[in-house]
Amino acid sequence: RGGGAGGDEGGGEVVIELGGSQMMQEQYSESRALSVQDIEKSIGELAGVFQKLGDMVSLQQEQIERIDSNMEDALQNVEAGHGELLKYYHSLTGNRALMFKIFLVLIFSMVMLIIFGT
């Protein structure tokens, strides 16, 4: 309390004198409280970022599924095309043998005509 012997009329003024260590503890507590508030704010911002990231991933899930489906369709089409090309190649190979046989019959016929046709 402040005041002298005759100067205090009961005005109710109370003066609290804090020691140096108490003031430092109070400042330390205040700085800790501010730090905790900053951390809470940062955690809230991080939660918002992760929420937005989750939303973006869920939006892209449909596109990923469509791409996967298109890739499977393309693979099936490529395999079907490969099969058709193999069929065509085998038919060409078979036709070559037939053409060769017909050519031999024609040559044989011409030789026979030349030898026995005269």
Side-chain angles (χ1 to χ4, degrees):
R1 288 184 158 206
D8 197 5
E9 298 275 329
E13 184 178 312
V14 177
V15 176
I16 300 175
E17 294 182 18
L18 297 176
S21 65
Q22 285 179 337
M23 188 177 287
M24 288 177 59
Q25 284 180 347
E26 186 176 312
Q27 288 175 348
Y28 177 74
S29 296
E30 288 177 11
S31 70
R32 294 283 291 194
L34 289 175
S35 296
V36 168
Q37 287 176 354
D38 288 343
I39 291 171
E40 287 175 349
K41 181 179 176 184
S42 296
I43 289 173
E45 290 172 357
L46 278 175
V49 168
F50 280 111
Q51 180 65 38
K52 288 179 183 177
L53 182 64
D55 292 343
M56 288 174 25
V57 168
S58 66
L59 289 175
Q60 292 179 355
Q61 180 67 28
E62 181 181 327
Q63 292 176 346
I64 291 170
E65 288 173 358
R66 242 185 294 140
I67 289 170
D68 185 44
S69 175
N70 290 342
M71 290 294 293
E72 289 174 4
D73 292 344
L75 178 62
Q76 289 174 355
N77 290 338
V78 167
E79 288 174 351
H82 182 259
E84 291 297 318
L85 286 173
L86 284 177
K87 282 186 210 176
Y88 181 69
Y89 175 74
H90 289 303
S91 71
L92 283 178
T93 307
N95 288 342
R96 285 184 189 161
L98 179 62
M99 289 172 40
F100 183 70
K101 290 175 188 175
I102 291 172
F103 184 69
L104 283 179
V105 169
L106 285 175
I107 291 179
F108 181 72
S109 299
M110 290 173 66
V111 169
M112 287 300 176
L113 280 173
I114 292 174
I115 293 175
F116 298 112
T118 0

